[in-house]
Structure formats: structure tokens, C-alpha cells
Amino acid sequence: MNIKTNHKHTIAASYIGYITQAIINNFAPLLFVTFQNKFDIPLIKIGYLVTVNFCLQLIVDFAAAGFVDRIGYRKCIVAAHIFASAGLILMGILPFVFADPYIGLIISIICYAIGGGLTEVLISPIVEACPTDKKSAAMSLLHSFYCWGHVAVILLSTLFFVIAGRNNWQILAFLWALIPAANAVYFCFVPIYNKPAPKEEKESGTLVSKLFFICILLMICSGASEQAMSQWSSAFAETGLHVSKTIGDLCGPCMFAILMGVSRVFYAACSEKIDLLKFIKGSCVLCIAGYLIASLSPNPVLALAGCGICGLSVGILWPGVFSIAAVKMPAGGTAMFALLALAGDFGCSAGPTFVGAVSSAFNNDLKSGFLAAIIFPLVLISGISVLGKINRGEFNEKAKKQHN
């Protein structure tokens, strides 16, 4: 396979791009207690690190709609990986350079958040433009690599801490930085394809259509349904099962990420036989069941199984909505993908915040928060039902053509 002409290299680099995204979103949270103890940073300021990362990625998602097409996909995706790698490297250096270590952490997170925002906007349209069959399957498999990256970050970081100790965390930051650095070089050589929009459609019309706003709502609820459980699953495992932080991470977010990845690989393998809209609707029903089991079960182990069911159910939601938008609105272009990513990121923040707020209102009871969170998959079911009535049959007809 010639690296400069074969689209399989483009897809492989995109897979690594989502692994990079998993690293920059999930590595720092594993060190929050370390930062708190080593640098004497209050817990509320530790929480702001997540806010900075998320908010800056939102800003980049929004801004990318205006400059990516002018600068070019290759330059932007290479820059994204350079920012990601530099941020991880700086995280291991700057806290020890500044008199206030917190400033060093903030600068580091700003750096890799720029890379994360660009990566999220660019990777999906890059893969969508590749000359492949089974577009929705390729999108689902692509997004599964975020899950595998998340699992790898938890497992390999935990192993490193056991062997080398948490005091050597900055070495691990340098090691993780090698992945985006290498992928930046890889993206310099792989082919990048353009997907021209149909002449009869206009991007500006797409972005004000009823269909687009439904997809925006679906993305918000997809992100919220996913992260409302994912972000709180470790704390739920610790408080519900009374286990250590390490075991809590393995039983909570690690299990969630594994099952989410499994569902995405399953859809990628069976996409030709599955109606995507029906599959998403069924996944939403399963998601509601998972939240109900987690919130209402008196048995801690069964409640934790509800977390796993949620992971299995939400896997198709984010990539599925991307695929639906790409098929139904082919003229959307980079701006459409950027705004969908922004909506998804907003949901990823709103979901955990909503669960935390409801839980706090009910005496820090996470089960109350999970019970309230069923609102997100319920709205998703309603949105998918409306979507199915718009140009009924058009999506499945176009999807079948892509498979042939």
C-alpha cells in the first residue's frame, strides 16, 4: 500500500487521531488527585481544568467552520496533532517552571484543547470523504477508536503508576505525547480527499434547515446521554461498591468505554443488515433501561451493570447522527461537521452537569441524578421519530447505494 495514494492509510491515521482525542480528554483526570496533593491546588480549581479544556474545544469547533476550508484539511489536522503533543509535553514541564503550578497546567490544557477541538471537527469529514463503501459502518468503526483509546489510557496509565509510581507521572505525559507527534508526521503523507457538495444544494441553506436543527438536538442529547453516565461511573462505583479508586476506574469508566466500543464495532460489522434509524431508536430504549437499572436497583452490582448497559447503548448515537447528517445533508461541508461537533460537546458538558446538579439537590445521591438523566434518551427517541418522517425512506435508499 502506497502511503501517498492509498486511502487505507488515511483511515488508519484517522483512527490514531481519535486515540489522540481520548488521550487528551482522559489522561489529566487520572491525575487530579495527584495535582491536588502535589501542587496544593483546591478541588474547585481542579474542576476548572475540565471547564477550560471543554470550553476551548467548543470555541475551536465553532471557529473551525470559518477557517478550515481556507487553510486546508492537511495543514489543520497536522497542526491539531502538534498542539496535542505539545500540550502533553508542556503538562510535564510547566507546572515545575511557574511559581504557581496551576498556571502551567492551564497553559498546557489550552494548548492540547486547541488540538482536540480541531481533531474532532476534521477527522469525521476526512473519513467521510474517503472512497469507501459502507460509510456509516466506517464512521461507527472510526468512533470506536475513541473508546479503545479511552480504555488504553486507563489501563496503561494504571499499570505505569503501579510500576513506576504516581510521582513519575510527567514521564507518562511525555510517553503519551509520542502518539500525536508520530501521527502528525503520518498525516503529512496520507492522501486527503475532498468531498464536493452537489451543485443543486447550498451549504447556507443546509445550515438553516429544519433537518439540520433536529440533528443539532440529536447531537446534544447523544453527548449528554453518553457523558452523563461516563463521567460519574467511577464515583458511582466507588460509592456504591465501596472499592478503591483503581478498582472504581476499572469497574466504572473502563467497562463503560469497552462496551461502547463493542457496540460501535458491532454496527460497523453488521451495518448492511441494520436500519440505522431503527438501531438508534432501539439503542435509546436500551439506554433508558440502563439508567433505570442504575438508579432504581437496590443491588450495587446490578446497579453497576446498568452503567455497562448505558455504555453498550450509547455507542451508535454520536457516529450514527454524523452518518445521518452526511447522507441527508451532503452539501453541509465542514461547517456542518463543526457545528455538529460543537453541539455534541455541549451535550457532553451539559449531561454530567445536569446529573451533578440533580444529585446535589437530593443529598448527593447519584441515583437521583441518573434517574433524571433519562430525559436525554427520551428526547433522542422523539427526534429520531421526527427525522424518520422527513423524506421517509430517503436515508436508507442513499445508504444502500453507498454499500453497493
Side-chain angles (χ1 to χ4, degrees):
M1 292 193 301
N2 190 321
I3 192 173
K4 293 186 177 181
T5 59
N6 196 305
H7 70 272
K8 291 183 179 179
H9 283 288
T10 309
I11 293 174
S14 299
Y15 290 163
I16 301 171
Y18 259 121
I19 292 173
T20 295
Q21 185 78 348
I23 293 170
I24 63 176
N25 281 343
N26 298 293
F27 175 58
L30 296 177
L31 297 169
F32 282 171
V33 175
T34 302
F35 293 157
Q36 184 182 12
N37 296 334
K38 188 173 184 65
F39 301 126
D40 196 26
I41 300 173
L43 196 59
I44 188 171
K45 293 181 71 175
I46 293 290
Y48 291 154
L49 297 178
V50 177
T51 305
V52 169
N53 179 32
F54 167 75
C55 288
L56 195 56
Q57 288 197 45
L58 277 180
I59 293 169
V60 173
D61 287 348
F62 183 77
F67 67 77
V68 165
D69 286 325
R70 291 199 298 270
I71 296 176
Y73 272 53
R74 189 184 305 278
K75 290 179 181 178
C76 288
I77 195 62
V78 169
H81 283 76
I82 291 173
F83 274 110
S85 182
L88 290 166
I89 292 171
L90 291 175
M91 179 173 282
I93 297 173
L94 294 186
F96 301 94
V97 172
F98 285 88
D100 183 356
Y102 189 72
I103 295 175
L105 290 173
I106 288 291
I107 293 174
S108 306
I109 288 173
I110 287 173
C111 188
Y112 71 54
I114 294 172
L118 281 172
T119 299
E120 193 162 45
V121 168
L122 295 168
I123 291 294
S124 291
I126 285 175
V127 171
E128 181 68 26
C130 285
T132 59
D133 300 326
K134 307 178 185 178
K135 294 290 188 181
S136 61
M139 191 68 71
S140 182
L141 188 60
L142 167 70
H143 283 258
S144 77
F145 275 82
Y146 180 88
C147 306
W148 308 134
H150 188 179
V151 172
V153 169
I154 294 172
L155 295 181
L156 295 179
S157 296
T158 299
L159 180 63
F160 179 89
F161 295 145
V162 170
I163 295 173
R166 286 186 175 269
N167 289 334
N168 292 311
W169 62 269
Q170 58 267 51
I171 296 174
L172 184 58
F174 300 150
L175 292 174
W176 282 125
L178 293 175
I179 293 178
N183 210 36
V185 176
Y186 197 13
F187 262 118
C188 288
F189 298 99
V190 302
I192 303 291
Y193 301 89
N194 293 318
K195 186 179 180 182
K199 293 181 180 178
E200 69 273 12
E201 298 186 63
K202 293 183 179 181
E203 180 181 288
S204 58
T206 295
L207 300 184
V208 296
S209 67
K210 177 182 178 182
L211 180 61
F212 176 70
F213 285 109
I214 292 174
C215 286
I216 287 289
L217 178 63
L218 294 178
M219 284 300 296
I220 292 172
C221 291
S222 295
S225 298
E226 176 184 321
Q227 293 300 317
M229 179 62 75
S230 178
Q231 292 294 307
W232 287 107
S233 57
S234 178
F236 185 60
E238 287 184 72
T239 57
L241 297 178
H242 305 291
V243 296
S244 67
K245 171 67 175 171
T246 298
I247 300 299
D249 285 343
L250 295 178
C251 292
C254 192
M255 177 182 68
F256 183 95
I258 289 173
L259 291 174
M260 185 165 66
V262 166
S263 69
R264 288 175 175 175
V265 171
F266 169 78
Y267 178 77
C270 304
S271 61
E272 290 181 325
K273 304 174 183 177
I274 296 174
D275 182 307
L276 181 56
L277 293 178
K278 291 181 180 178
F279 191 66
I280 293 177
K281 190 178 289 187
S283 296
C284 291
V285 173
L286 188 62
C287 184
I288 292 170
Y291 272 109
L292 288 174
I293 293 171
S295 59
L296 300 178
S297 174
N299 186 303
V301 176
L302 190 59
L304 190 60
C307 296
I309 291 172
C310 283
L312 190 66
S313 66
V314 300
I316 192 57
L317 302 184
W318 187 298
V321 176
F322 263 79
S323 294
I324 290 169
V327 171
K328 282 187 171 286
M329 298 176 286
T334 304
M336 180 185 74
F337 282 101
L339 293 173
L340 288 175
L342 187 150
D345 278 342
F346 176 78
C348 286
S349 175
T353 302
F354 178 74
V355 169
V358 173
S359 299
S360 297
F362 286 86
N363 207 21
N364 293 322
D365 179 18
L366 276 174
K367 288 192 172 187
S368 299
F370 288 157
L371 182 61
I374 65 170
I375 184 64
F376 302 122
L378 281 173
V379 173
L380 262 169
I381 290 177
S382 301
I384 288 295
S385 298
V386 173
L387 199 63
K389 295 176 182 177
I390 298 177
N391 301 325
R392 185 181 295 276
E394 176 188 347
F395 171 73
N396 289 322
E397 199 173 305
K398 289 185 178 180
K400 285 177 182 176
K401 288 181 181 179
Q402 289 178 343
H403 294 324
N404 298 329

